[in-house]
Amino acid sequence: MEQVAEAQAIAPIVCVQNMYNLAYRQDDELIDRLAEQGIAYVPYFPLGGFSPLQSSALSTVAAWLDATPMSVALAWLLHRSPNILLIPGTSSTAHLRENIAGAGLSLSDEDLAELGKIGR
Ligand SMILES: NC(=O)c1ccc[n+]([C@@H]2O[C@H](COP(=O)([O-])OP(=O)(O)OC[C@H]3O[C@@H](n4cnc5c(N)ncnc54)[C@H](OP(=O)(O)O)[C@@H]3O)[C@@H](O)[C@H]2O)c1
């Protein structure tokens, strides 16, 4: 947040990008504070980056929803805060379709509780 404040003293900030995903949540507080100011947050490595996320909790929720783990990981990010924008990277058309499907998933309180076990 200090870096954002420093940047805001120079120019208006509309978007911040940093590493964040289900398993790596160091920016939890920052995301909430940016949301209060109407500033977008783009998580990089939303799927874990070079080593895509693997977790039994993620696989469990994916099975409950009849979805894939990666689509659930993206749905969780979209659910996390309204200021989150996603640019998941893929070189595969099948993965692209899977990732887009994440935008259509609804997560219940039970799903969120299970996913909350990751990265805590
Ligand atoms: N600001 C920064 O310093 C910074 C640093 C890194 C990245 N970024 C940005 O963050 C965004 C995402 O980065 P990223 O692409 O490196 O990381 P990512 O989206 O977390 O992960 C991409 C990896 O996940 C795999 N993948 C994608 N969809 C999948 C699926 N449905 N099932 C299984 N594997 C899947 C991809 O392999 P396949 O090709 O086989 O699908 C690729 O290996 C990009 O916009 C990037 O420019 C920014």
Side-chain angles (χ1 to χ4, degrees):
M1 203 62 215
E2 276 173 36
Q3 282 183 333
V4 174
E6 195 178 337
Q8 283 176 315
I10 301 166
I13 303 298
V14 296
C15 181
V16 171
Q17 184 177 50
N18 208 6
M19 183 171 172
Y20 185 80
N21 58 51
L22 249 176
Y24 188 89
R25 301 182 51 180
Q26 290 198 2
D27 276 353
D28 267 332
E29 188 183 340
L30 174 65
I31 289 168
D32 293 335
R33 291 181 65 180
L34 293 175
E36 288 166 10
Q37 296 183 54
I39 297 173
Y41 182 91
V42 180
Y44 82 66
F45 290 165
L47 295 171
F50 303 117
S51 307
L53 295 166
Q54 286 185 311
S55 144
S56 57
L58 183 56
S59 298
T60 297
V61 174
W64 289 344
L65 297 173
D66 194 19
T68 64
M70 292 301 132
S71 63
V72 173
L74 295 174
W76 179 85
L77 284 167
L78 290 174
H79 187 280
R80 169 64 184 76
S81 184
N83 62 331
I84 287 192
L85 304 177
L86 294 182
I87 315 175
T90 183
S91 56
S92 144
T93 310
H95 286 169
L96 178 63
R97 290 202 176 95
E98 192 179 311
N99 296 345
I100 290 170
L105 292 177
S106 297
L107 301 178
S108 67
D109 290 345
E110 192 181 7
D111 298 332
L112 293 171
E114 184 70 16
L115 294 170
K117 295 176 182 172
I118 306 169
R120 293 282 187 183

